[in-house]
Amino acid sequence: MNFNSKNPFLSNKRFSSNAVSKAEEVHQAQIIDYNQEMTLSGTINKTAILFLILCGSAMVTWWMAFNGLNVMLPAIGGAIIGLILVVISAFKPQYSPYLAPGYALFEGLFIGGISAIFEAMYPGIVINAVGATLVTFLVCLGLYKFKIVKVTEQFKSVVVAATLAIATYYLISWLASLIFNFTPVHYGNGMMSIGISVFVIIIAALNLFLDFDLIEKGVQERMPKFMEWYGAMGLIITLVWLYIEFLRLLSKLSSKN
């Protein structure tokens, strides 16, 4: 079973004063208080809100799966709608206060569904994947906070290029498997497949540093309040990606036993 994943927020990974200025011009007549500035505490609070929405939504499809109901439709539908909301937000960050909660809601349906499927196949895998994701997040946060890892322009370029390469590889592999009955090397539980999963997890973790930097720069540059939702959404997207990749890796390791 394969669940391709990537961070679609990548194309708009850093704050831009020009982007914010355009947003202000377009929405100057709407009820958005641009005099309010983005704060770190506000972003943290909104990240917590999105996380709770995500978990609450995931519990719905999780409950459905373990009560014998078909979760494929809400899971796939949630993934598609979540992706659409992310793409819109990437181009229209001023809509993030509305799009971010919507993304968390629909993506939660997807996460709950695939988590239940993996759990049924490999009991105990979900708690291990959650734990691995949490530990990775805390380690990366500590490394960033204490300036052990510094997000330079070169660092950003390498991580963005690697993430794009992964996304391109997943897309091409998926298309090739549909058209030519081709089996991508990241399928199965071979050493090559496991190695690819480990590499993807490392790149996903490095994206956390870009998210931390994005939020910090937004606060420093006194971006509008709606950017708190935008930053929180970007962080949740990366965490979801990281969690899915841990599920994939742990499933490969479990199937070898």
Side-chain angles (χ1 to χ4, degrees), residues 64-201:
M64 289 174 60
F66 284 98
N67 280 273
L69 300 176
N70 190 334
V71 298
M72 293 307 298
L73 182 60
I76 295 175
I80 294 173
I81 296 175
L83 177 60
I84 293 173
L85 296 178
V86 166
V87 172
I88 296 174
S89 185
F91 289 98
K92 297 290 185 180
Q94 61 272 17
Y95 291 132
S96 295
Y98 314 105
L99 298 176
Y103 162 78
L105 179 66
F106 287 103
E107 192 70 14
L109 296 176
F110 173 64
I111 292 299
I114 66 167
S115 295
I117 292 172
F118 273 108
E119 184 67 19
M121 295 171 62
Y122 309 102
I125 192 175
V126 169
I127 189 64
N128 289 328
V130 170
T133 303
L134 177 60
V135 169
T136 302
F137 171 77
L138 293 176
V139 169
C140 291
L141 180 60
L143 292 174
Y144 182 82
K145 179 178 177 60
F146 294 105
K147 306 299 181 183
I148 297 175
V149 174
K150 297 182 180 179
V151 181
T152 63
E153 290 303 316
Q154 183 177 10
F155 179 92
K156 293 177 183 178
S157 298
V158 171
V159 175
V160 168
T163 307
L164 283 174
I166 291 170
T168 302
Y169 166 74
Y170 274 148
L171 178 60
I172 293 176
S173 296
W174 177 67
L175 292 175
S177 66
L178 290 179
I179 299 174
F180 304 108
N181 196 27
F182 166 75
T183 302
V185 294
H186 68 281
Y187 285 21
N189 58 2
M191 293 305 298
M192 178 67 75
S193 177
I194 291 174
I196 291 175
S197 288
V198 171
F199 173 75
V200 173
I201 286 174

Side-chain angles (χ1 to χ4, degrees), residues 15-25 93-94 221 223 227:
F15 286 124
S16 166
S17 297
N18 291 333
V20 175
S21 296
K22 291 179 180 179
E24 291 178 351
E25 292 175 4
Q94 61 272 17
E221 295 177 17
M223 291 296 170
M227 285 298 193

Side-chain angles (χ1 to χ4, degrees), residues 24-86:
E24 291 178 351
E25 292 175 4
V26 172
H27 288 268
Q28 59 183 350
Q30 294 189 4
I31 307 176
I32 298 180
D33 187 3
Y34 289 98
N35 293 322
Q36 287 187 314
E37 298 171 357
M38 178 182 183
T39 63
L40 180 58
S41 61
T43 306
I44 293 174
N45 291 337
K46 289 172 176 58
T47 302
I49 291 172
L50 295 183
F51 181 74
L52 290 175
I53 294 174
L54 183 79
C55 291
S57 179
M59 290 178 63
V60 174
T61 43
W62 176 278
W63 178 87
M64 289 174 60
F66 284 98
N67 280 273
L69 300 176
N70 190 334
V71 298
M72 293 307 298
L73 182 60
I76 295 175
I80 294 173
I81 296 175
L83 177 60
I84 293 173
L85 296 178
V86 166

